[in-house]
């Protein structure tokens, strides 16, 4: 089977609609969410080719296939993350500036800043005394590096 477009996202479906389907999952690393072309295997052993015509990243919950009885849905494996919890706008600005200088992609959930684990960032947070925790957590979308040069 080759998937060329995303049917919907499971978050946009009614609970009753979801419950009447058998669900197979495709577990991806967050870095694989940016790949428009890839071969994956469901948790039931079914091989699927993904070749998206649309220029978009995959997102947790994307439905690759749906019929009257079955759904095949993207799920994301947990990442090793630093969950940064600044106490003030000054701390947020300080760490955002430092991470920006390192060109590290970040995501935000509520008042938390999420970055992929890096021991140098962990040391920086300790030095700056900015609260953080190291956690295994699922993210909904990929950490995307933004192309940039200082030239």
């Amino acid at each position: 089977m080759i998937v060329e477009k995303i049917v919907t996202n499971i978050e946009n479906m009614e609970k009753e609609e979801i419950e009447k389907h058998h669900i197979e999952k495709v577990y991806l690393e967050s870095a694989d969410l940016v790949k428009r072309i890839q071969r994956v295997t469901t948790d039931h052993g079914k091989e699927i080719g993904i070749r998206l015509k649309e220029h978009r990243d995959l997102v947790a919950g994307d439905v690759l296939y749906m019929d009257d009885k079955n759904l095949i849905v993207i799920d994301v494996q947990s990442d090793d993350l630093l969950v940064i919890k600044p106490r003030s706008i000054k701390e947020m600005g300080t760490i955002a500036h430092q991470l920006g200088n390192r060109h590290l992609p970040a995501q935000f959930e509520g008042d938390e800043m999420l970055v992929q684990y890096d021991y140098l960032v962990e040391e920086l947070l300790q030095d700056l005394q900015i609260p953080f925790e190291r956690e295994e957590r699922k993210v909904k979308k990929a950490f995307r590096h933004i192309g940039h040069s200082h030239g």
Side-chain angles (χ1 to χ4, degrees), residues 85-103:
K85 303 174 182 186
R87 295 167 292 218
S88 67
I89 191 73
K90 182 178 182 193
E91 282 185 352
M92 175 55 85
T94 299
I95 194 58
H97 179 77
Q98 292 286 337
L99 295 176
N101 281 342
R102 291 168 171 77
H103 300 277

Side-chain angles (χ1 to χ4, degrees), residues 36-63:
R36 287 185 24 245
I37 300 172
Q38 57 186 309
R39 181 169 302 281
V40 297
T41 305
T42 70
D43 59 350
H44 290 57
K46 186 179 295 175
E47 284 199 16
I48 299 172
I50 299 174
R51 185 175 61 219
L52 297 181
K53 291 182 177 183
E54 186 180 357
H55 289 280
R56 75 184 281 287
D57 292 347
L58 294 167
V59 176
D62 277 347
V63 177

Side-chain angles (χ1 to χ4, degrees), residues 27-122:
Y27 291 96
L28 297 178
E29 293 182 13
S30 63
D32 292 333
L33 294 172
V34 299
K35 297 178 182 176
R36 287 185 24 245
I37 300 172
Q38 57 186 309
R39 181 169 302 281
V40 297
T41 305
T42 70
D43 59 350
H44 290 57
K46 186 179 295 175
E47 284 199 16
I48 299 172
I50 299 174
R51 185 175 61 219
L52 297 181
K53 291 182 177 183
E54 186 180 357
H55 289 280
R56 75 184 281 287
D57 292 347
L58 294 167
V59 176
D62 277 347
V63 177
L64 300 176
Y65 174 80
M66 180 169 67
D67 63 19
D68 293 340
K69 298 177 184 173
N70 299 297
L71 286 174
I72 299 177
V73 181
I74 296 288
D75 201 349
V76 182
Q77 296 173 357
S78 296
D79 278 302
D80 188 6
L81 302 176
L82 291 172
V83 179
I84 304 168
K85 303 174 182 186
R87 295 167 292 218
S88 67
I89 191 73
K90 182 178 182 193
E91 282 185 352
M92 175 55 85
T94 299
I95 194 58
H97 179 77
Q98 292 286 337
L99 295 176
N101 281 342
R102 291 168 171 77
H103 300 277
L104 285 177
Q107 294 185 26
F108 298 88
E109 289 184 6
D111 293 336
E112 299 175 333
M113 177 186 253
L114 309 177
V115 296
Q116 290 175 308
Y117 178 77
D118 180 301
Y119 74 95
L120 293 173
V121 174
E122 183 177 42

Side-chain angles (χ1 to χ4, degrees), residues 126-143:
Q126 290 168 344
D127 291 345
L128 295 172
Q129 298 180 343
I130 296 176
F132 73 95
E133 293 177 12
R134 184 174 177 183
E135 290 181 19
E136 287 285 324
R137 189 188 283 192
K138 291 183 179 188
V139 294
K140 289 189 180 260
K141 53 188 180 171
F143 285 93

